[in-house]
């Protein structure tokens, strides 16, 4: 099945409503490719091309490079729809599709190198701070091996996390993200073997002592304080948002699409399932009814809550006001609860559907596996946030600066 795609005229941006409608129109095609996506451990190239042609990777990209500079809620609505068709695709899109926002925070010279010749250029990432960094004139030498670089097979650049050692006595260790072109790293395509989210293509990245100029690094402190060099040239309110607020949502939002797909599959099984052992029809099972209803209501509730989160964040950005730190801590904590809650809700449904649900051919199994894999991401663990949420209530600064 081929999804409908639309190529924009130069300078013509679609409306948010049109972008969301295009994403929803892709759901049948994504469903038809989902098994291929899982088997290949990569999103199909034809899907990547359709995402490009439909303009989805431009939603958070600066207008200077043909982007749309739209509010993040548009991006997340597109991500949810894609994930409803295939959660691996939705997850990959969320991660790769949010990187134009971070690249826009880099020095303009770095942005020109990425998008100057091709505004459709994509970047993957791994923010694990595992790299070895050495100071040299004009920048750094970088080496290491990073896991979980989602969508890396389809990208020409990569964003890699590492701690930079003190340059002189009295300096502090600092976290930075390093931006590297495809010629500076290799990909281990045989490292990604998982029980869920297999199709995200989250392969390993290997870097062997390459030079990274200072302008192709992004300080964690600049992301925290919203004092990024890219804000000098990308002046839209969008780019005054804290980078962490955008990223943590990018790895939780796909779960909404996956959970909705699982609920829909559960309803389809319920309609005609009759136990061969008890003779009882699932459509008459009040316990199953309660599990499905509870899941649907909580999906809608969490979606509404996180939509309001970004309405509030954008209200601060549009007014030029500083976002209170306690709100940032709270919002990051909210996002961290989503995937685990949704996985538990779907698990309640799966265990009530008997043997029909345990076959890999069952439409509920892949999103259930994907949800359980997604909750392993560090950003989706509320235990990494709860101490700061409580601390903010009593006036303490966050211990985790990624807020």
């Amino acid at each position: 099945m081929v999804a409908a795609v639309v190529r924009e005229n130069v300078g013509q941006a679609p409306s948010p409503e049109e972008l969301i409608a295009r994403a929803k129109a892709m759901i049948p095609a994504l469903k038809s490719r989902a098994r291929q996506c899982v088997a290949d451990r990569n999103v199909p190239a034809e899907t990547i091309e359709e995402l490009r042609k439909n303009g989805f990777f431009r939603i958070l990209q600066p207008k200077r490079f043909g982007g749309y500079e739209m509010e993040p809620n548009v991006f997340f609505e597109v991500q949810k729809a894609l994930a409803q068709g295939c959660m691996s695709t939705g997850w990959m899109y969320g991660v790769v599709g949010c990187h134009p926002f971070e690249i826009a925070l880099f020095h303009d010279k770095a942005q020109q190198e990425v998008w100057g010749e091709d505004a459709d250029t994509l970047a993957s990432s791994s923010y694990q701070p595992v790299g070895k960094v050495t100071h040299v004139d004009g920048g750094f030498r970088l080496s290491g091996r990073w896991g979980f670089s989602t969508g890396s097979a389809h990208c020409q650049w990569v964003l890699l996390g590492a701690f930079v050692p003190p340059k002189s006595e009295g300096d502090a260790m600092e976290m930075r993200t390093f931006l590297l072109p495809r010629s500076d790293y290799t990909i281990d395509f045989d490292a990604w073997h998982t029980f869920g989210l297999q199709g995200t293509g989250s392969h390993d990245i290997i870097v062997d002592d390459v030079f990274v100029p200072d302008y192709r690094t992004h300080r964690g402190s600049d992301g925290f304080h919203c004092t990024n060099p890219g804000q000098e040239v990308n002046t839209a309110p969008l780019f005054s948002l804290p980078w962490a607020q955008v990223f943590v949502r990018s790895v939780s939002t796909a779960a909404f699409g996956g959970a909705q797909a699982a609920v829909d599959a559960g309803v389809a099984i319920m309609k005609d399932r009759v136990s061969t052992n008890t003779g009882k029809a699932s459509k008459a099972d009040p316990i199953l009814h309660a599990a499905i209803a509870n899941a649907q209501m909580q999906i809608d509730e969490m979606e509404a809550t996180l939509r309001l989160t970004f309405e509030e964040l954008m209200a601060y950005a549009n007014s030029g006001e500083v976002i209170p730190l306690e709100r940032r801590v709270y919002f990051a904590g909210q996002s961290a609860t989503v995937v685990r809650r949704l996985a538990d809700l779907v698990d309640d449904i799966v265990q009530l559907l008997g043997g029909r649900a345990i076959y890999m051919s069952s439409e509920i199994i892949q999103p259930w596996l994907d949800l359980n894999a997604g909750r392993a991401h560090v950003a989706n663990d509320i235990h990494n946030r709860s101490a700061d949420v409580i601390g903010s209530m009593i006036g303490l600064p966050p211990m985790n600066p990624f807020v």
Side-chain angles (χ1 to χ4, degrees):
M1 181 178 293
V2 177
V5 294
V6 179
R7 186 177 294 280
E8 301 304 331
N9 295 323
V10 175
Q12 178 183 350
S15 68
E17 294 77 16
E18 175 62 21
L19 286 166
I20 295 166
R22 292 178 190 178
K24 290 179 179 178
M26 284 189 67
I27 291 175
L30 296 178
K31 283 184 178 293
S32 74
R33 298 175 194 152
R35 294 189 187 280
Q36 175 193 348
C37 184
V38 168
D40 292 348
R41 293 180 295 114
N42 272 314
V43 173
E46 61 186 318
T47 296
I48 298 294
E49 181 60 18
E50 288 167 10
L51 298 178
R52 277 197 179 104
K53 288 181 177 179
N54 277 319
F56 298 153
F57 291 116
R58 294 178 180 262
I59 293 175
L60 300 179
Q61 188 176 22
K63 288 183 178 179
R64 298 187 308 129
F65 298 101
Y68 306 149
E69 290 185 5
M70 289 183 177
E71 297 198 0
N73 274 338
V74 179
F75 177 78
F76 296 128
E77 288 299 321
V78 167
Q79 184 184 10
K80 284 188 287 188
L82 299 176
Q84 190 172 342
C86 170
M87 188 167 159
S88 280
T89 299
W91 182 285
M92 182 286 307
Y93 170 71
V95 174
V96 174
C98 80
H99 289 151
F101 180 93
E102 187 185 17
I103 293 171
L105 305 180
F106 276 74
H107 189 282
D108 184 50
K109 189 174 181 179
Q111 298 176 52
Q112 296 291 344
E113 289 184 2
V114 175
W115 292 317
E117 294 185 5
D118 183 1
D120 286 326
T121 298
L122 303 177
S124 66
S125 68
S126 176
Y127 297 103
Q128 294 177 305
V130 295
K132 178 183 178 182
V133 180
T134 304
H135 290 273
V136 294
D137 287 345
F140 309 90
R141 305 295 300 187
L142 180 69
S143 296
R145 184 184 185 110
W146 290 257
F148 306 102
S149 188
T150 294
S152 48
H154 305 290
C155 297
Q156 298 77 48
W157 290 77
V158 70
L159 296 148
L160 299 172
F163 283 113
V164 176
K167 191 172 184 179
S168 58
E169 188 175 350
D171 290 346
M173 182 90 71
E174 71 170 354
M175 175 69 179
R176 291 200 190 196
T177 298
F178 294 74
L179 177 62
L180 281 68
R182 185 66 182 80
S183 58
D184 282 358
Y185 61 93
T186 57
I187 303 174
D188 182 352
F189 292 103
D190 200 38
W192 183 244
H193 295 277
T194 56
F195 70 80
L197 293 175
Q198 302 97 319
T200 60
S202 301
H203 307 299
D204 283 13
I205 301 294
I206 303 166
V207 176
D208 184 15
D209 190 31
V210 301
F211 172 70
V212 184
D214 184 74
Y215 68 83
R216 273 205 266 114
T217 70
H218 180 214
R219 299 173 186 265
S221 57
D222 285 338
F224 177 80
H225 293 293
C226 302
T227 54
N228 308 283
Q231 290 174 256
E232 295 179 10
V233 288
N234 298 316
T235 58
L238 169 68
F239 300 111
S240 68
L241 292 175
W243 156 236
Q245 294 293 323
V246 177
F247 180 78
V248 297
R249 276 291 304 281
S250 76
V251 293
S252 68
T253 297
F256 287 119
Q260 189 62 60
V263 168
D264 293 345
V267 170
I269 295 171
M270 177 197 70
K271 285 180 179 179
D272 63 3
R273 176 183 175 269
V274 178
S275 172
T276 55
N277 290 304
T278 66
K280 294 181 179 179
S282 290
K283 63 183 177 182
D285 181 354
I287 300 175
L288 176 58
H289 295 174
I292 293 174
N294 188 39
Q296 187 64 69
M297 289 186 291
Q298 290 201 46
I299 290 171
D300 294 344
E301 173 193 328
M302 283 184 270
E303 283 187 347
T305 296
L306 294 190
R307 193 177 302 116
L308 288 171
T309 290
F310 264 92
E311 288 180 5
E312 181 175 333
L313 286 169
M314 283 306 303
Y316 280 113
N318 287 323
S319 69
E321 295 180 70
V322 174
I323 303 167
L325 197 53
E326 61 268 22
R327 297 303 283 162
R328 291 167 59 174
V329 168
Y330 187 71
F331 293 153
Q334 278 185 325
S335 182
T337 69
V338 166
V339 183
R340 295 188 178 207
R341 288 176 64 187
L342 292 173
D344 288 344
L345 290 166
V346 172
D347 190 58
D348 288 344
I349 299 171
V350 170
Q351 64 183 319
L352 293 168
L353 292 175
R356 283 277 298 278
I358 70 171
Y359 288 90
M360 289 305 298
S361 58
S362 169
E363 292 295 324
I364 201 170
I365 286 300
Q366 190 61 52
W368 177 65
L369 292 171
D370 292 340
L371 287 164
N372 279 281
R375 65 183 183 178
H377 195 287
V378 64
N380 294 327
D381 184 354
I382 186 56
H383 301 297
N384 294 325
R385 297 289 184 179
S386 53
D388 279 346
V389 172
I390 297 302
S392 70
M393 294 178 179
I394 56 177
L396 297 178
M399 294 178 286
N400 185 342
F402 198 63
V403 293

